[in-house]
Every structure is written in structure tokens, then in C-alpha cells.
Amino acid sequence: MTREGEPGPRYAHRADNKRVAYEESGAPDGFPVFLMHGTPGSRRGPKPRGIVLYRMGIRLIAYDRPGYGDSDRFEGRDVADAARDVEAIADQLRLRRFAVAGRSGGGPHALACAADERLRGRVSRVAVLVSFAPSEAIGLDWFDGMNRDNQRGFGDGRHDTEIVVEEIRQRAARAAEDPRFLLRELMTQMGPPDRRAINDAALRGIIFDTYQEALRAGPYGWIDDVLALRRDWKFDLDAIDTTVTPVRLWHGEEDTFAPASHGRWLAARIPGAEIEVQPGAAHFDAMQQLPRMLRWLVDGQAPTGTDVLIGARPGQ
């Protein structure tokens, strides 16, 4: 599904033949950057305008994780599996090197690409904004400082999967009946910093649009995302070699959706990772920080127009 007058998504096929929908914006010959959307979310989530990306020399690739938007569902997927999505798209586009950025629920999926052995040497840098930590993080009270809505959405620490799935199904059903339900619900959970950040009608429209697209085929991407984030991510953070793939994290100190303690915990477990925790900022300030993080991702990187993979799968 596309906005009127806009091109539809392109598709890559993973080795298991699952279809992954993606779209590109910015400079066609710029340095490639994959953008991992939040939870729930879609490829149409908040990002800099195409002209801004063009001037930055960035070829931005956003895709729907399995079960969202136009991507096939992969029931039972783990966070680590995101590396196979990225690999499929990168191979189709014949990309030898690329960077990865992830916001909120997309943060762990971006880190999975940094840790993946098959992508070693291909992922140049990873930027992570307002990410969650693993649910079984030792020494972290996962729900401390998290707003009630997100606590409920992740099961309040309960391990009854059926309760979590039913909660998401009910919220998705309400969103199907009333498309603005999720946005209104979101705004009731915001503190003053987030209200300031989202005090823009255009940004609210983008958030509404990405939620609508995310759930167009049902609640399955959202369900699978939450279950994947709740269980073992299937990769080790200390496997990330920041001498090969530098990692930078950003978090707002006042974040109540993914508390800043999550970002600090991640930074302490990834050897050599850099972190910035900004006082007075919160979860949705990450959207304003994204252009700066994107600049860091491409700093010193040459365009890859001629840097192609030999024997890569042809475009589809």
C-alpha cells in the first residue's frame, strides 16, 4: 500500500524465500544506511526528508520487519534474525559496505547486525537511539522508570505469552476500528519533554501513518517483535567488535518508554561503545537526533556506487 502518487516498496527475498519490503530515499549514489523502525512501526516511520538525506550523501534504506506492512511474517523470529533481512536487501542491492541505525525497538535489531558473523566487515558503523536492553539483563530493573502503557505492552514482567499476545491483539483491533487510537494512547503516556518533541502536526501525521501501515496486515509484526524482545536475543553483545564496527548510543535522560538505564546497561556490555545521555530529553527527541547520528554513520565513508558484490543476487 502506498500514498497516492508515491512509488510502492521493492522486495528482497531471504534464503528461506520470505519476502521483505523496503524503500530507499536520499542520494542514489550516497553511502547506504539501513534504518530499523520502532515497535510497532514500518518502513514509513519518521526519517529526514529525501532532500536532506541527499545533501548529506546518504542512501537511506528502510524496511518492514517480518509481519509488518508488506513484509511476510516469520513467526518465532528472534532479534538476531534481523541480520538476515539486512543481508537479503544488501545482496539484492549489491552493497558491499553499509551502516545501520535503529530507534527504540529497532535498536536491538541494529545491534544484531553489528554482532552477526556473516555481516562482519560489511557493517561499517551502528547507531542506536533510545533502545531497550534485553529483558533478562542482569543488574537491570527492566521496568523501573517505564510508563504504565509500555509496562503493560511488554507483559508487566509476566512470562505468560498468551496474556501479552492478547493485549496486543486487543490494542491492534481498537486501532483498526479507530486509526488514531494508538497515537492518542501514546500521547497520554508522554511527559513534558516528549510532548514538546511531538508538538508538530507533521510529525504526528508521520507517526499515525507508520502505525497504520505497520498494522495493515494485522497485529503479527507487533506480536513477533515484542516476543522477540522479551526472550533471548540469540546474539552476544560482547561479540560486537567496535574496532571493526564502532557503536554509538544516544538516550534521553527523561525517557519513560525505554528508560535511560537501558542505554547505559547496553553501553556497559558492548566493549568500546560510546554513549550520550542527554539531560532534559526523552524518547521522541530521538527523531530530532537522528540526522546527527546519521552524519556520524557516514563520516569519512566514501560513496559506494562502484563498490559492488561480485556474484550478488540480481535485483528483483
Side-chain angles (χ1 to χ4, degrees):
M1 181 177 182
T2 61
R3 303 178 185 91
E4 185 176 353
E6 289 192 358
R10 297 179 65 188
Y11 300 96
H13 288 81
R14 295 158 38 111
D16 58 11
N17 209 36
K18 297 287 187 183
R19 188 180 70 166
V20 181
Y22 69 94
E23 59 185 41
E24 301 179 74
S25 56
D29 60 349
F31 190 80
V33 178
F34 283 84
L35 179 61
M36 305 286 200
H37 61 71
T39 302
S42 73
R43 68 188 187 280
R44 281 159 47 166
K47 61 179 76 72
R49 289 181 299 151
I51 187 62
V52 174
L53 293 166
Y54 185 89
R55 290 169 179 164
M56 293 168 67
I58 292 174
R59 179 185 182 182
L60 195 71
I61 304 158
Y63 80 93
D64 297 329
R65 280 195 296 280
Y68 286 118
D70 278 308
S71 289
D72 293 339
R73 186 185 186 188
F74 180 13
E75 190 173 2
R77 60 181 166 88
D78 298 305
V79 172
D81 189 66
R84 302 287 72 80
D85 302 333
V86 169
E87 182 181 40
I89 299 169
D91 285 356
Q92 174 166 303
L93 295 176
R94 304 174 67 83
L95 303 177
R96 186 185 299 276
R97 294 267 288 172
F98 47 85
V100 183
R103 184 183 68 81
S104 191
H109 296 86
L111 291 172
C113 296
D116 188 76
E117 186 65 32
R118 281 164 54 174
L119 294 181
R120 183 70 55 88
R122 296 184 70 180
V123 181
S124 59
R125 291 182 174 184
V126 170
V128 174
L129 300 93
V130 296
S131 178
F132 295 101
S135 63
E136 300 297 330
I138 297 172
L140 175 69
D141 184 342
W142 207 83
F143 289 99
D144 185 39
M146 187 179 291
N147 64 52
R148 179 59 188 152
D149 187 59
N150 255 25
Q151 288 188 30
R152 186 163 50 93
F154 279 98
D156 303 292
R158 294 169 293 186
H159 294 279
D160 189 336
T161 297
E162 292 298 324
I163 294 175
V164 175
V165 170
E166 184 57 29
E167 172 71 23
I168 295 172
R169 286 187 187 279
Q170 290 181 12
R171 295 170 74 184
R174 290 193 63 182
E177 296 173 358
D178 177 4
R180 296 198 175 272
F181 163 72
L182 285 180
L183 182 59
R184 288 199 307 271
E185 185 181 53
L186 183 75
M187 295 183 71
T188 66
Q189 302 296 312
M190 291 181 177
D194 274 331
R195 287 186 176 277
R196 287 195 299 271
I198 207 168
N199 188 28
D200 180 275
L203 178 56
R204 291 195 300 273
I206 292 171
I207 294 171
F208 164 74
D209 183 64
T210 192
Y211 285 168
Q212 191 172 41
E213 176 67 8
L215 302 176
R216 182 166 54 80
Y220 309 110
W222 190 0
I223 289 170
D224 296 340
D225 247 11
V226 168
L227 296 183
L229 290 168
R230 276 167 46 101
R231 59 177 173 257
D232 188 322
W233 291 358
K234 301 299 183 183
F235 70 91
D236 295 324
L237 291 167
D238 58 10
I240 298 173
D241 185 350
T242 54
T243 66
V244 175
T245 306
V247 174
R248 180 171 290 185
L249 301 101
W250 182 92
H251 227 107
E253 183 69 67
E254 307 301 319
D255 195 334
T256 63
F257 290 89
S261 56
H262 287 231
R264 291 191 177 99
W265 190 95
L266 288 170
R269 270 55 180 196
I270 303 171
E274 301 176 6
I275 185 170
E276 176 186 357
V277 179
Q278 183 174 329
H283 198 70
F284 287 88
D285 287 295
M287 297 174 185
Q288 298 173 353
Q289 294 296 322
L290 181 58
R292 184 166 65 90
M293 297 291 273
L294 290 174
R295 288 190 189 95
W296 173 76
L297 285 174
V298 301
D299 183 35
Q301 304 291 337
T304 58
T306 59
D307 189 16
V308 299
L309 288 168
I310 304 302
R313 292 199 299 268
Q316 297 175 356

